[in-house]
Amino acid sequence: MADAQQDEFAELSYEDAREQLVAVVAKLEAGGVSLEESLALWERGEALAQRCEEWLDGARRRLDAARRQPADGDAAGADA
């Protein structure tokens, strides 16, 4: 993937990347495009899927970190 395209995907929010991925999949499923365009769409879809995976991995790390943090008042409120 070209550096410009990597930069483009790096700026996408999860929702934007997912929306674009859905559009790519729909276009591929509909057919009617040349082999060259299909390959370009496939590559774009792979890059978008990777971006979505990066967002989800980051969210998992944040959730795991939050779960490891003791909540204020946990010890006092645990038996209440």
Side-chain angles (χ1 to χ4, degrees):
M1 177 176 14
D3 288 339
Q5 195 174 32
Q6 285 177 334
D7 290 343
E8 172 192 353
F9 293 134
E11 299 298 319
L12 289 176
S13 69
Y14 171 79
E15 292 78 8
D16 290 338
R18 188 176 65 71
E19 184 178 306
Q20 288 186 30
L21 179 57
V22 168
V24 166
V25 170
K27 194 166 187 178
L28 284 169
E29 287 178 342
V33 295
S34 69
L35 176 59
E36 189 64 33
E37 188 175 356
S38 293
L39 289 172
L41 284 168
W42 180 269
E43 290 171 347
R44 183 171 180 80
E46 287 289 325
L48 289 164
Q50 177 63 37
R51 183 63 183 136
C52 289
E53 196 64 34
E54 290 168 2
W55 271 107
L56 293 173
D57 288 344
R60 281 187 204 103
R61 285 191 299 274
R62 288 176 64 189
L63 287 171
D64 289 344
R67 287 182 183 144
R68 287 191 299 269
Q69 296 290 327
D72 292 335
D74 261 1
D79 294 329

